[in-house]
Amino acid sequence: MARALVSPTLHPPVIRTPSFRRLHQLPTPLNPQPSAVNSNAAPPLLWKLRPVPTIRRGIRASAEPHQGNGDGENRRLPQALSSNWPKSFAKFAADNFLPLALVSGVVLGLVNPSLGCLADTYYLSKFSTFGIFVISGLTLRSDEIGAAAEAWPVGLFGLASILLFTPLFSKVILLLKLQPQEFVTGLAIFSCMPTTLSSGVALTRLAGGNSALALAMTVISNLLGILIIPFSISKLIGAGVGVSVPAERLLRSLVLTLLVPLILGKVARELSRGVANFADGNRKLLAMISAIFLSFVPWIQVSRSRSLLLMVKPSVFLVAVVMGALLHAVLLAFNALLIPSLSALSGGSKSPFAKKENANALLLVASQKTLPVMVAVVEQLGGALGESGLLVLPCVAAHLNQIIIDSFLVSIWKRKVTEFEDSKVA
């Protein structure tokens, strides 16, 4: 048994120095090969340095996508801006269609007067005025007029302010000295006009005012204005410039030009339910068509008087524009100062004048003057008070001024209401 035992022979491990080729195959930052070498046999130094390339690759990998996203965002930003500006411009044009249409008519008349003169030979301005009041009749709702009966004292004072009180400012306007004199006379005629046909009601609705009261004052003042305007111009302006205005002929012409189309539009609305539904469902479209019709008037008038307008100094026209803005500011101040007094005289806090909705409607509607009726009046005067284009041009600027000023006023009111509601919630 002892001879069967064989003692094992122990061989020391052979330590081999790795060759250059072997070292070259070890993992390096430039040649990562984790499967080529056993991790247990790797030298300690190389084992410790092995995670470094992984970290660097991770940093590089995480940085490159971020850089790529940043470039993508930078590339998409101009594309987003370029794709959004047509929508922004379209919204701006829709919100400011009336002033843009009026300004476009004036510019077109100055640039190419031949087209406007051709349109004048076919009496396009009279047809456009007829169309404006047909549209006004189509969009006139009976229930809205009846809803204003509760605030009748406010409406009654509004009518008096529009047709009796504010026309008296024409005497003050005629005292101003400006060449050409038609600029002054035109603004004096403008102060005798009834309220605007659409912008006063629209701004009242935006301000949260009594839109029914605003509509009632608009309709009634324009109807009564047909009866009163000829005599107001004859007494307040015609006598001041030494001209006799044919009041009866002007009244007859205004009835045919303004009252008849208004009645036709209203009758069509009442007789046909389909017409009423179409008018109610397309009020914005009809307002744009009415604005286009209105822009025909300054276009034709400016085209006819372009040679005279070019002789006017820009500084003089700027003075006329400022005068129109001051006229509207004076009318706003006049009505704003009388509202608290009327409220105190008619019951204090229980007075209809004390209600903010009624006061806003009164202030906006009673302080504006309409351009279509003014143009219709100037057309019928036949040059008795001066060149038609020179009479109308400062009034176009005054019409734009009152819309812009009242738009800012309404935005201030809405901002104050929002701040008040936010403070109540807080």
Side-chain angles (χ1 to χ4, degrees):
M1 294 297 292
R3 294 181 60 183
L5 294 175
V6 179
S7 61
T9 303
L10 300 177
H11 300 282
V14 179
I15 301 176
R16 297 181 180 180
T17 302
S19 62
F20 177 78
R21 182 176 299 176
R22 184 69 174 176
L23 288 173
H24 181 68
Q25 294 176 352
L26 291 177
T28 61
L30 300 177
N31 188 23
Q33 297 177 2
S35 61
V37 180
N38 189 359
S39 60
N40 296 327
L45 180 60
L46 295 179
W47 181 83
K48 292 180 180 179
L49 294 176
R50 187 177 301 164
V52 174
T54 306
I55 297 175
R56 292 182 61 186
R57 286 197 303 272
I59 295 174
R60 187 181 297 112
S62 62
E64 288 176 355
H66 177 73
Q67 185 178 0
N69 291 337
D71 293 339
E73 292 176 358
N74 293 334
R75 286 193 299 268
R76 286 194 297 270
L77 183 58
Q79 295 176 359
L81 293 176
S82 61
S83 62
N84 287 334
W85 78 262
K87 297 180 181 179
S88 302
F89 178 78
K91 185 179 184 302
F92 174 80
D95 295 339
N96 302 275
F97 192 82
L98 176 58
L100 289 177
L102 294 175
V103 172
S104 300
V106 173
V107 172
L108 183 59
L110 292 174
V111 173
N112 190 1
S114 58
L115 291 176
C117 294
L118 179 63
D120 182 56
T121 59
Y122 291 97
Y123 305 101
L124 184 60
S125 61
K126 293 184 178 180
F127 286 110
S128 63
T129 304
F130 189 92
I132 289 173
F133 285 92
V134 169
I135 293 175
S136 298
L138 289 174
T139 56
L140 181 60
R141 297 174 179 173
S142 302
D143 55 346
E144 291 181 346
I145 299 177
E150 182 181 354
W152 67 266
V154 181
L156 189 62
F157 171 76
L159 295 176
S161 176
I162 295 169
L163 299 174
L164 299 178
F165 300 149
T166 55
L168 296 177
F169 287 98
S170 62
K171 302 293 289 184
V172 179
I173 296 174
L174 291 174
L175 297 177
L176 302 175
K177 302 299 180 182
L178 187 66
Q179 293 298 329
Q181 182 62 31
E182 283 89 345
F183 281 4
V184 177
T185 306
L187 289 174
I189 297 174
F190 189 66
S191 67
C192 296
M193 295 299 109
T195 188
T196 53
L197 296 173
S198 58
S199 32
V201 178
L203 289 171
T204 300
R205 287 173 179 168
L206 289 176
N210 190 338
S211 58
L213 175 62
L215 183 61
M217 288 189 291
T218 298
V219 174
I220 297 175
S221 67
N222 279 274
L223 293 178
L224 293 180
I226 296 173
L227 303 174
I228 298 174
I229 287 172
F231 301 99
S232 298
I233 295 177
S234 179
K235 297 297 181 181
L236 299 176
I237 300 175
V241 296
V243 176
S244 176
V245 178
E248 294 181 1
R249 182 169 61 87
L250 182 59
L251 173 61
R252 184 169 57 254
S253 177
L254 290 178
V255 169
L256 294 176
T257 309
L258 308 183
L259 183 58
V260 170
L262 184 67
I263 293 176
L264 288 177
K266 180 60 178 173
V267 170
R269 177 186 176 87
E270 295 299 327
L271 293 180
S272 175
R273 189 64 181 173
V275 172
N277 293 334
F278 174 81
D280 292 339
N282 298 274
R283 297 180 75 88
K284 192 172 184 178
L285 175 62
L286 293 176
M288 289 184 176
I289 296 175
S290 180
I292 293 174
F293 284 159
L294 183 57
S295 68
F296 289 165
V297 176
W299 169 47
I300 293 175
Q301 295 294 339
V302 171
S303 298
R304 288 173 50 186
S305 307
R306 180 177 180 271
S307 58
L308 295 175
L309 294 174
L310 294 178
M311 298 173 60
V312 178
K313 296 180 180 180
S315 58
V316 176
F317 179 70
L318 182 60
V319 171
V321 173
V322 174
M323 288 171 52
L326 289 176
L327 172 62
H328 183 61
V330 170
L331 297 184
L332 282 173
F334 172 77
N335 290 302
L337 291 175
L338 286 179
I339 289 175
S341 302
L342 294 171
S343 177
L345 293 174
S346 58
S349 59
K350 297 182 179 180
S351 171
F353 290 92
K355 293 183 178 180
K356 188 176 181 180
E357 296 79 6
N358 297 337
N360 290 346
L362 174 61
L363 185 61
L364 291 172
V365 174
S367 303
Q368 291 188 359
K369 298 296 181 179
T370 182
L371 184 62
V373 178
M374 187 268 176
V375 173
V377 170
V378 170
E379 285 285 336
Q380 300 304 321
L381 290 175
L385 295 179
E387 179 63 31
S388 299
L390 297 177
L391 291 171
V392 170
L393 188 59
C395 300
V396 173
H399 186 86
L400 295 175
N401 285 334
Q402 66 185 7
I403 294 176
I404 294 171
I405 292 172
D406 290 350
S407 298
F408 281 110
L409 187 62
V410 168
S411 64
I412 293 173
W413 289 347
K414 293 178 66 176
R415 185 167 60 250
K416 288 184 177 180
V417 170
T418 303
E419 293 175 354
F420 177 73
E421 292 178 352
D422 292 342
S423 62
K424 288 177 63 177
V425 173

